[in-house]
Amino acid sequence: MKLVKSLLLGSAAGLIAVGGAQAADLPVKAKAVEYVKICSLYGAGFYYIPGTDTCIKLGGYLRAEVALNTNSVYSGQFSGTGGAHNRLSNYYTMRARQDLNIDTRTATEYGVVRTFFDATFSWTTGNYSGSGSATGATTYSGAAPVGNPSDGGTSGGSLGVYYAFIQFAGFTMGKAVSQFDAPWTNYPGNNFDGLVGGSGTVTGVNQFTYTADFGQGITASFSAEDATAYYQAGNLNLTGATVAGIAGGSYGSNAIGGSRSPNLVGMVRVDQAWGLFQASVAAHDNHVAYYGATETTGHPDDKWGWAVQLALSIKNIPTGAGDTINISGVYTDGATRYNFQNLAGSSYSMFGGTGVAGAYQSIGFANAPDTVFVTGGSQESVKTWGFRGAYTHNWDPYWNTALYGAYASAQFGSLAKNAICGGGGFVGVMAVAGVTSCNPDFNIGQVGVITRWTPVKNLTFSADFNWTRLDQKYAGTAVITPAAAVAKPTAVYELKDQDSFTLLLRAQRNW
């Protein structure tokens, strides 16, 4: 009996095992594989995000560059240890940068919803400045580049968030290029970042914009744009001015107040096969804090400034296929950053040689804020005008050269001239022995040439040479005690125009 039971159980176990084995061999429906599909709706490089109807494109560049005779890869030796032209000045500045951008687009019943993000990771040569120590100690600055608020410091380098915006149904919301800017921003034909003569938010500005498209290449935009990061050239209390401060390119105590109104911008553009024409206007609220240390000292009333700019691009001119002329002109009244854009700056303090007997060296200095005032008085706006332009010629598919130039002029009113030069005797900080001409008005002239070589697609080598001249209106000599950071002695300095030369060499691979 036990033998029969064992045989039955063994047979049952065998049948179960065989059935399990056969079941394991049965075909099972595989999970569908989601392949990345090309999205041809928005141009080359877009793909559908798997499982969605959203298209995405990744892009960017890697750049390696060295700038000669500058403490910055984007500007000349205009101030600080760069303008000192001594052993603290950099002979070269190097930078490596990786840019990453992400573009997404989704078709909806209201039109395309687009998001765009662009960030840079940079490593840049730092600067050494004097500490005023009797032993000659210096201080290293390896933080984010001066003049570029979008570059926040990170360990061993800097991170910059350039663009981050949403576009939907004609609206642009977030950080994007100002609607006031010409399409080429700071670069009518060059790489040099420090051009005056126009607006240029190349790293974006926070905004809320509506753009209407009328067809035939005609568009119009109205925008409210953040003024705090890129459009504050300064509201200076001249009562705080000193000879040393003025010589350092600062004409008083900067007393900008908190944000009140964004800049209001309007733009009309005509974009055709022959080129482009654009007209832009902007209004800027100059809101000052207080005359003194506390709110009981009072304050001047707000003063609105404004700017207007015209831009023209002519394409495919008879000199060659792809040749282009880009030009723009601007006028500002109390809105200086629309002419002296933030990467160019509007403060100068440059030292050089002299032929005047008894003078240690020469110095040229200038400052163009938005407004000036004195304690107890109202704001007086600073007026500026300027232009910039370039002609680009393509020698062949691999080589092109651009000639470019820019010019900007700043003019002060009677209040500023009386306070700075002592015409009315209010401060008279520059009414010192030896000064034969005192006038804070000044001009900046720039010319340059750049040649680019693209041996293979998306890989470009360039050399950009720039000359900048500060034409200031002071003359004579003055005893000046410069800031400790530039290591200059208290001495007699000739008041004289100054020059700066920069050569920028760059290799860039786009992808």
Side-chain angles (χ1 to χ4, degrees):
M1 189 68 178
K2 287 183 180 179
L3 179 60
V4 173
K5 187 182 286 190
S6 297
L7 289 172
L8 292 172
L9 291 172
S11 299
L15 290 171
I16 293 171
V18 171
Q22 290 175 342
D25 291 338
L26 291 175
V28 178
K29 189 174 182 180
K31 210 171 183 181
V33 177
E34 293 185 351
Y35 295 97
V36 176
K37 297 186 298 182
I38 293 175
C39 174
S40 59
L41 298 175
Y42 311 110
F46 280 92
Y47 296 86
Y48 283 101
I49 299 174
T52 75
D53 59 355
T54 297
C55 300
I56 187 170
K57 179 180 181 180
L58 302 179
Y61 62 79
L62 196 146
R63 175 187 298 169
E65 57 195 349
V66 57
L68 307 181
N69 192 40
T70 177
N71 282 38
S72 161
V73 294
Y74 53 73
S75 190
Q77 303 279 45
F78 297 153
S79 62
T81 53
H85 295 123
N86 60 14
R87 295 183 67 85
L88 295 177
S89 306
N90 285 358
Y91 279 9
Y92 70 89
T93 296
M94 301 183 74
R95 172 181 287 172
R97 167 171 287 176
Q98 173 65 62
D99 176 273
L100 172 65
N101 58 70
I102 305 171
D103 191 346
T104 72
R105 307 192 193 188
T106 307
T108 75
E109 58 198 274
Y110 298 99
V112 176
V113 177
R114 182 192 185 198
T115 68
F116 188 82
F117 172 78
D118 184 85
T120 62
F121 306 85
S122 304
W123 186 289
T124 309
T125 303
N127 308 291
Y128 283 92
S129 58
S131 65
S133 166
T135 60
T138 59
T139 302
Y140 178 74
S141 171
V146 176
N148 191 349
S150 71
D151 279 359
T154 61
S155 178
S158 63
L159 168 65
V161 177
Y162 283 6
Y163 309 125
F165 61 83
I166 299 170
Q167 289 181 320
F168 174 66
F171 291 94
T172 299
M173 300 157 283
K175 197 165 186 277
V177 171
S178 170
Q179 303 303 312
F180 187 92
D181 294 357
W184 50 86
T185 59
N186 294 338
Y187 314 108
N190 60 299
N191 287 343
F192 184 75
D193 284 345
L195 280 190
V196 296
S199 173
T201 52
V202 298
T203 58
V205 58
N206 279 322
Q207 60 188 269
F208 192 95
T209 299
Y210 178 73
T211 300
D213 189 339
F214 301 102
Q216 305 298 316
I218 302 173
T219 58
S221 297
F222 178 77
S223 182
E225 302 180 354
D226 182 20
T228 57
Y230 298 106
Y231 288 107
Q232 303 281 22
N235 306 125
L236 304 185
N237 187 343
L238 299 176
T239 306
T242 64
V243 173
I246 290 175
S250 176
Y251 282 7
S253 304
N254 202 351
I256 300 172
S259 64
R260 286 298 181 271
S261 171
N263 286 0
L264 305 178
V265 176
M267 179 273 288
V268 176
R269 180 184 299 174
V270 179
D271 198 343
Q272 307 283 350
W274 57 263
L276 173 146
F277 173 78
Q278 178 177 311
S280 309
V281 295
H284 172 71
D285 181 28
N286 292 289
H287 177 75
V288 177
Y290 300 101
Y291 291 125
T294 68
E295 59 190 37
T296 59
T297 60
H299 59 82
D301 292 336
D302 285 17
K303 186 177 182 65
W304 280 87
W306 58 275
V308 59
Q309 179 174 268
L310 299 178
L312 176 67
S313 179
I314 304 175
K315 301 177 182 178
N316 299 317
I317 57 180
T319 56
D323 288 8
T324 305
I325 295 176
N326 294 327
I327 55 175
S328 63
V330 65
Y331 181 87
T332 76
D333 186 339
T336 298
R337 277 287 174 262
Y338 287 105
N339 187 0
F340 293 81
Q341 47 90 10
N342 71 291
L343 292 182
S346 57
S347 178
Y348 303 86
S349 180
M350 305 162 66
F351 291 83
T354 181
V356 174
Y360 174 70
Q361 286 181 344
S362 65
I363 183 174
F365 48 83
N367 188 200
D370 292 314
T371 66
V372 297
F373 62 96
V374 293
T375 298
S378 300
Q379 295 187 75
E380 178 182 76
S381 62
V382 176
K383 298 173 176 59
T384 81
W385 61 270
F387 62 86
R388 57 166 67 136
Y391 162 62
T392 301
H393 174 63
N394 293 279
W395 302 100
D396 57 37
Y398 309 101
W399 291 88
N400 72 57
T401 298
L403 298 173
Y404 66 89
Y407 191 86
S409 178
Q411 284 117 30
F412 290 77
S414 58
L415 183 149
K417 291 178 178 178
N418 288 341
I420 293 172
C421 296
F426 196 94
V427 177
V429 292
M430 284 304 296
V432 295
V435 177
T436 59
S437 175
C438 182
N439 185 347
D441 296 349
F442 70 96
N443 307 310
I444 295 288
Q446 297 173 308
V447 294
V449 59
I450 179 173
T451 293
R452 300 179 184 89
W453 175 47
T454 305
V456 296
K457 185 178 180 180
N458 293 329
L459 176 63
T460 301
F461 301 90
S462 60
D464 188 347
F465 177 77
N466 174 272
W467 169 44
T468 298
R469 183 170 182 82
L470 169 63
D471 173 22
Q472 48 93 63
K473 305 304 178 185
Y474 299 103
T477 60
V479 177
I480 298 173
T481 303
V486 298
K488 296 288 184 180
T490 299
V492 175
Y493 291 86
E494 179 190 5
L495 309 181
K496 183 182 177 183
D497 299 346
Q498 301 292 332
D499 300 286
S500 176
F501 300 89
T502 298
L503 176 62
L504 174 61
L505 305 175
R506 174 179 292 173
Q508 180 166 317
R509 162 66 165 160
N510 294 339
W511 57 276

